[in-house]
Amino acid sequence: MKELLQYIANYVNEMVYLHDEKGRILQVNSSSVKQTGYTEAELLSKTIFDMDPDAGIRKDHEIIWPNLLKKESFKTFESRHKKKSGECINVEITLRKVELNKEMLFLAIVKDISEIKQVKAIVEEKEDFMNQIFYSAPCGMIYQLADGRVIKWNKKAEDIFGISEKEIIGKTSLSFPWQVFDNDENEFKSNEHPSIVTLETGKPCHNINMKVVRSDGSHSWILINTNPIFNNNNSIKGVVVSFNDITELRRMRQTVIDSQNRIADILESIPDIIAEVNQNKIYTWGNDAAYEFFGDDFIGKKASDFFHGSEDIYNKVSPLFDGSENLIEINSWQKRQDGEIRLLSWTCRSIRDASGNVTGTLSAAKDITKLHFITEELKISEEKFSSVFHQSPIGTELYDKNGKCILINKAIQNIFGIINPDEIIGFDLFDDPNLSNETKFRIRQGNSFTYEFEFDFDLVKKYNLYKTNKNGKILLQCNINPWLIDKKPGGYFLHVTDITKQKKLEQSIINYEMKEKEQIQKELIKTKEELIRSTQLATIGQVSASISHDLKNPLGSIRNATYILRKKCPTNHVDTQIIQYINIIEEECISANSIIENVLTLARQGKIKKEKCKLEDILNDALHSGKFINDVQIHYINNSSDAEIFCDRSQLRQVFVNLIQNTIHAKPENAQITIEYKQINYQFFIRYSDNGPGIDNTLKNKIFEPLISSKTEGSGLGLTICKMIVEKHRGTIKASNGKEGGACFEIVLPVE
């Protein structure tokens, strides 16, 4: 017994403690020293209870020891173990009673199961993931036990069969009054159902076409597959049935190949492999786990027969064969008996005979392939997440469930002008004065929502929340989503976008559209007014032209008669008053003729005949043609005496004749006119001003309308004709009063 204890203490990879009934540690192995970090002397000064941070061992011992002392030879239970560093690990303790020198002692073999616990957690997570796949699968899926009872029935199966999972759980697929037929419309017998066949034979059934007729007479065609699930002893545990509704596809006679989902019941443990090799590196002994991994015939084979690749394993463990007493830990890719390559984590130590000579090595191994790939995938995922997170142009913040900031990206730093990113870690989201109480409430409720708000940097500085290089206010759009861990609230994701420029642009567009609308309305009003004016002018012109033609002949007769009368009455023999009357008749005939010409000009709205003319010549013609040269003083301000304009000479002359006539009528005596004109690029700018009384304020806005006049005599068409002629030349004319009095007309005409 003593030799066995010595062998276990020296060559078993687990921690081994020999203690008495009071828990005092009497002997430990080297693994205990290595794994706990205590020296052997330190361990021998402790009790087995001192190694448990939770005092669980003492409680378990109080329950277990009486049974061990009475009838049981050993007991296994789980607990926790505290290392010298303070780290606590999960352990499995196998407690045996041993009698040594007639003294009842206890041998505690303590195995570190921390990694196994982690792996079990991974397995449970995968089971949950597989369940999610099962219930969200796009095809119908059923899981039946070996006795045919249904224990899982997904949503798609409910849709196809019209029966809920609650109705069918615990029953078999034959419990309901439906009939099933094959492609040839032959009814399936109960033992021919694919799931029953699989349960009885252990063989899967693939792509079985089945017509299901329900109790109400409706039917569906399904494509069914079954897959057996085996227990560890290869007995049938159950069957997974997957099927798709192919009714429509059959009707359309299309061939459909659906991907088949198989759900495997993953209950996988990772046992330790223990094996012994001799000096020639040949396996001489192994436990059940070693046989399961390497195969039943691995004894007698070289260890290198199972190596994968060019790993230099022998060189790494050679110190053990040279007499080193140290433990050597290595990871090695090795071939499993099924040909799969697995990564094993080995812990090796030398074996010696009674004389102390090295006879080989004893090694323990764990299959860490899954752990290795999970670690690599997590590393890659973390790198990808970090890259995407920090390079995203959208500001992103991550807060824990208490609202404490965990992580921010560069876009957030730029939006908020954060000088020191580390300063924001730990910042409490619910302390931000820029968030309303309603918003904080919605965040705590775990809702996903988007909202816009104004962010004030002055509040950040006022409450000294963090250092920022920004001032004033900005507009933000914030999208808030809960962050779930195992379907439970884990925190919050905040996606933040600065929409200040966007909002300003939107407002600018709105303002622009409003201005455009106003401008269009003004143009419509102007067009309408011009249309009305044009209609009025046309009407006046048509009526007036008819009257003017009728008046021209009698007016000509009056002028001829006046001429003859003057010839018949010499001034030496006629009363002077008669001569005055004759003069009045002639002047009024001239005035009446001018009115008639204006009316006829208004009536003639034909095309203009353009030619190159000097503007100064046109002004002189206007002055002489109206015989105004003795009635008015004209002052020219000319900056372009040689400049020529492309225009209808007679019509443009009429514009200035009408303006001069208005001046003389408004100021019969001492009339003065100033005409300033200049050419800028491709336009003529003409400013006509006089020293008359100016334009009546009541007439300013309608001075160019027909029949509008401040004179008691005249037609009220002179300025209307001026505007019409100028606009025919693609020009503009505006009327105003000068600063020093008098009327002022500004005319702009294109050179060509």
Side-chain angles (χ1 to χ4, degrees):
M1 175 62 72
K2 186 174 182 181
E3 292 177 354
L4 175 61
L5 292 176
Q6 185 65 37
Y7 176 81
I8 292 174
N10 289 333
Y11 299 112
V12 173
N13 196 38
E14 282 77 15
M15 296 172 279
V16 179
Y17 301 93
L18 185 65
H19 63 84
D20 60 16
E21 293 184 15
K22 294 184 179 180
R24 291 175 298 194
I25 299 174
L26 305 176
Q27 185 176 348
V28 297
N29 68 345
S30 58
S31 292
S32 300
V33 173
K34 183 179 185 305
Q35 294 185 40
T36 63
Y38 290 107
T39 64
E40 183 175 357
E42 287 174 331
L43 288 174
L44 294 177
S45 67
K46 295 179 178 292
T47 68
I48 193 68
F49 310 121
D50 296 333
M51 304 306 291
D52 182 12
D54 305 321
I57 295 179
R58 181 183 295 277
K59 182 178 179 181
D60 291 333
H61 275 56
E62 290 174 354
I63 298 172
I64 294 169
W65 282 358
N67 291 330
L68 284 177
L69 292 173
K70 291 179 182 178
K71 51 184 178 180
E72 295 182 356
S73 59
F74 73 95
K75 190 70 175 181
T76 300
F77 58 95
E78 291 185 7
S79 185
R80 294 212 306 157
H81 223 51
K82 183 177 181 182
K83 296 183 178 182
K84 186 176 182 179
S85 64
E87 179 189 358
C88 295
I89 60 175
N90 294 309
V91 295
E92 180 185 84
I93 300 175
T94 300
L95 192 63
R96 296 176 180 272
K97 62 181 178 180
V98 295
E99 187 175 345
L100 190 63
N101 297 329
K102 297 184 179 181
E103 182 181 1
M104 186 61 67
L105 301 176
F106 296 90
L107 183 67
I109 300 176
V110 182
K111 180 179 179 181
D112 184 352
I113 60 171
S114 297
E115 290 188 9
I116 294 176
K117 285 276 189 180
Q118 292 175 2
V119 171
K120 285 183 178 179
I122 293 172
V123 170
E124 290 174 356
E125 182 179 349
K126 286 188 175 181
E127 285 181 346
D128 181 61
F129 177 68
M130 295 303 287
N131 274 331
Q132 291 183 41
I133 292 176
F134 183 93
Y135 283 105
S136 62
C139 62
M141 297 198 77
I142 307 171
Y143 185 18
Q144 293 177 261
L145 295 178
D147 59 3
R149 287 183 297 118
V150 176
I151 62 170
K152 286 186 181 181
W153 179 274
N154 75 351
K155 181 67 172 62
K156 193 66 177 179
E158 292 182 4
D159 296 339
I160 292 173
F161 286 98
I163 295 175
S164 68
E165 185 179 40
K166 184 178 180 181
E167 292 176 291
I168 200 166
I169 288 297
K171 300 176 183 178
T172 70
S173 56
L174 304 177
S175 301
F176 290 86
W178 52 45
Q179 293 177 291
V180 289
F181 300 88
D182 61 17
N183 276 329
D184 299 324
E185 297 291 335
N186 296 319
E187 186 174 1
F188 276 97
K189 297 179 181 178
S190 59
N191 62 349
E192 292 176 343
H193 283 243
S195 60
I196 303 301
V197 171
T198 297
L199 289 173
E200 291 180 353
T201 65
K203 295 180 180 180
C205 296
H206 296 301
N207 299 329
I208 306 299
N209 284 271
M210 180 181 289
K211 179 181 179 182
V212 179
V213 180
R214 306 179 189 90
S215 58
D216 61 359
S218 63
H219 73 274
S220 295
W221 279 95
I222 61 174
L223 184 69
I224 188 168
N225 291 274
T226 63
N227 196 51
I229 303 296
F230 296 98
N231 292 311
N232 291 336
N233 59 2
N234 289 328
S235 62
I236 290 290
K237 181 177 181 179
V239 60
V240 174
V241 183
S242 62
F243 48 88
N244 286 290
D245 188 335
I246 59 170
T247 308
E248 187 65 18
L249 298 178
R250 284 181 63 89
R251 187 185 67 80
M252 297 173 65
R253 296 186 180 181
Q254 294 179 350
T255 303
V256 176
I257 301 175
D258 293 328
S259 60
Q260 302 173 7
N261 297 316
R262 296 183 178 86
I263 299 177
D265 187 3
I266 304 174
L267 295 171
E268 188 178 74
S269 61
I270 304 179
D272 290 345
I273 299 170
I274 301 176
E276 179 185 341
V277 296
N278 60 19
Q279 281 281 19
N280 297 320
K281 286 81 175 179
I282 294 175
Y283 281 115
T284 57
W285 176 84
N287 66 352
D288 291 343
Y291 279 98
E292 184 179 346
F293 187 89
F294 294 115
D296 295 337
D297 58 348
F298 86 102
I299 299 299
K301 291 184 178 181
K302 289 184 178 181
S304 59
D305 291 344
F306 301 93
F307 294 170
H308 176 71
S310 58
E311 297 183 83
D312 195 7
I313 306 300
Y314 285 159
N315 285 338
K316 294 178 181 178
V317 298
S318 61
L320 297 178
F321 293 93
D322 294 336
S324 173
E325 295 184 356
N326 295 326
L327 290 174
I328 294 180
E329 295 180 349
I330 57 172
N331 292 338
S332 171
W333 289 97
Q334 302 209 359
K335 290 179 286 186
R336 201 164 59 185
Q337 63 171 327
D338 58 3
E340 187 174 349
I341 309 302
R342 308 292 292 179
L343 181 62
L344 301 182
S345 176
W346 293 90
T347 302
C348 311
R349 68 173 302 152
S350 59
I351 302 174
R352 300 173 184 270
D353 59 18
S355 302
N357 299 319
V358 176
T359 60
T361 63
L362 184 68
S363 305
K366 293 182 180 180
D367 188 337
I368 61 169
T369 310
K370 289 184 180 179
L371 189 59
H372 169 77
F373 284 120
I374 289 171
T375 303
E376 288 298 313
E377 288 175 4
L378 285 175
K379 183 179 178 182
I380 293 171
S381 296
E382 287 176 358
E383 290 174 353
K384 288 181 179 178
F385 171 79
S386 178
S387 175
V388 172
F389 181 83
H390 288 291
Q391 294 179 15
S392 172
I394 298 175
T396 304
E397 302 173 281
L398 181 60
Y399 290 85
D400 65 20
K401 62 182 179 181
N402 297 317
K404 301 293 184 182
C405 183
I406 299 174
L407 190 63
I408 63 172
N409 67 356
K410 291 181 181 178
I412 285 292
Q413 297 178 38
N414 295 333
I415 291 173
F416 294 103
I418 298 170
I419 297 173
N420 182 10
D422 293 335
E423 187 180 8
I424 206 72
I425 302 304
F427 171 74
D428 195 327
L429 175 65
F430 300 111
D431 286 343
D432 192 337
N434 281 290
L435 297 181
S436 66
N437 290 332
E438 179 185 357
T439 300
K440 293 175 182 178
F441 175 78
R442 292 181 68 186
I443 294 173
R444 285 191 173 100
Q445 292 298 306
N447 298 322
S448 294
F449 62 97
T450 300
Y451 75 106
E452 296 176 1
F453 69 103
E454 184 179 72
F455 189 91
D456 191 346
F457 286 103
D458 292 339
L459 291 177
V460 175
K461 295 176 180 179
K462 177 181 178 181
Y463 294 102
N464 195 27
L465 300 179
Y466 51 83
K467 292 183 178 62
T468 176
N469 56 19
K470 291 197 174 184
N471 299 297
K473 299 177 181 179
I474 59 174
L475 291 174
L476 299 178
Q477 183 183 74
C478 186
N479 180 268
I480 299 177
N481 292 289
W483 166 34
L484 301 178
I485 301 176
D486 293 333
K487 300 181 181 179
K488 297 179 181 178
Y492 315 96
F493 272 116
L494 272 68
H495 301 289
V496 182
T497 306
D498 186 344
I499 59 172
T500 308
K501 292 182 180 179
Q502 175 188 333
K503 287 297 181 181
K504 288 182 179 179
L505 179 60
E506 289 175 357
Q507 189 59 47
S508 298
I509 292 172
I510 292 172
N511 294 339
Y512 175 77
E513 290 176 346
M514 290 179 66
K515 288 181 180 178
E516 283 289 303
K517 186 177 180 181
E518 291 175 359
Q519 185 64 30
I520 291 171
Q521 289 177 340
K522 289 180 180 178
E523 291 293 333
L524 287 173
I525 293 172
K526 183 179 177 182
T527 303
K528 182 179 179 181
E529 290 175 348
E530 289 180 351
L531 182 60
I532 293 172
R533 176 173 166 272
S534 177
T535 303
Q536 289 176 338
L537 290 175
T539 303
I540 292 170
Q542 291 171 0
V543 174
S544 300
S546 175
I547 296 172
S548 297
H549 281 294
D550 293 340
L551 290 176
K552 248 187 173 309
N553 291 330
L555 186 61
S557 299
I558 293 171
R559 292 182 68 179
N560 291 333
T562 305
Y563 176 78
I564 294 170
L565 187 60
R566 183 183 291 279
K567 290 289 185 180
K568 296 289 184 177
C569 299
T571 56
N572 296 334
H573 305 286
V574 180
D575 189 350
T576 56
Q577 190 172 9
I578 293 173
I579 297 300
Q580 289 178 356
Y581 288 150
I582 292 172
N583 290 338
I584 290 171
I585 292 171
E586 286 181 340
E587 289 175 359
E588 291 302 323
C589 283
I590 291 171
S591 177
N593 188 65
S594 176
I595 293 171
I596 290 170
E597 286 299 326
N598 279 340
V599 170
L600 291 175
T601 300
L602 183 65
R604 299 188 209 103
Q605 297 190 23
K607 294 183 179 179
I608 58 177
K609 298 178 181 179
K610 289 187 176 182
E611 58 180 324
K612 277 191 176 181
C613 308
K614 286 188 177 181
L615 185 61
E616 188 172 345
D617 293 343
I618 296 173
L619 294 171
N620 288 329
D621 286 351
L623 185 63
H624 288 86
S625 67
K627 300 178 181 180
F628 305 130
I629 193 163
N630 297 322
D631 299 327
V632 65
Q633 294 181 8
I634 297 182
H635 176 61
Y636 292 108
I637 300 176
N638 179 12
N639 295 326
S640 307
S641 59
D642 296 330
E644 293 181 328
I645 184 170
F646 198 61
C647 66
D648 187 318
R649 183 183 185 118
S650 63
Q651 288 197 20
L652 197 57
R653 179 182 60 199
Q654 186 65 44
V655 171
F656 294 108
V657 168
N658 289 355
L659 292 177
I660 294 170
Q661 280 183 343
N662 283 354
T663 297
I664 292 173
H665 288 153
K667 181 103 172 142
E669 297 180 0
N670 196 26
Q672 296 181 10
I673 297 171
T674 300
I675 299 177
E676 178 182 1
Y677 61 94
K678 57 185 175 181
Q679 181 181 349
I680 301 177
N681 295 329
Y682 298 101
Q683 288 183 314
F684 261 116
F685 293 86
I686 306 166
R687 189 174 187 275
Y688 176 100
S689 59
D690 62 27
N691 63 340
I695 302 170
D696 191 333
N697 288 332
T698 61
L699 301 178
K700 275 185 180 180
N701 295 329
K702 52 184 178 179
I703 192 71
F704 293 107
E705 293 181 11
L707 307 179
I708 299 297
S709 177
S710 61
K711 297 178 290 183
T712 57
E713 54 193 34
S715 63
L717 298 174
L719 290 178
T720 303
I721 292 170
C722 290
K723 182 176 176 66
M724 181 184 70
I725 292 172
V726 169
E727 289 180 347
K728 279 186 177 182
H729 283 76
R730 295 182 291 111
T732 59
I733 182 170
K734 294 181 180 179
S736 63
N737 286 323
K739 293 181 180 180
E740 298 178 358
C744 179
F745 294 89
E746 293 180 348
I747 301 171
V748 180
L749 293 169
V751 174
E752 294 184 355

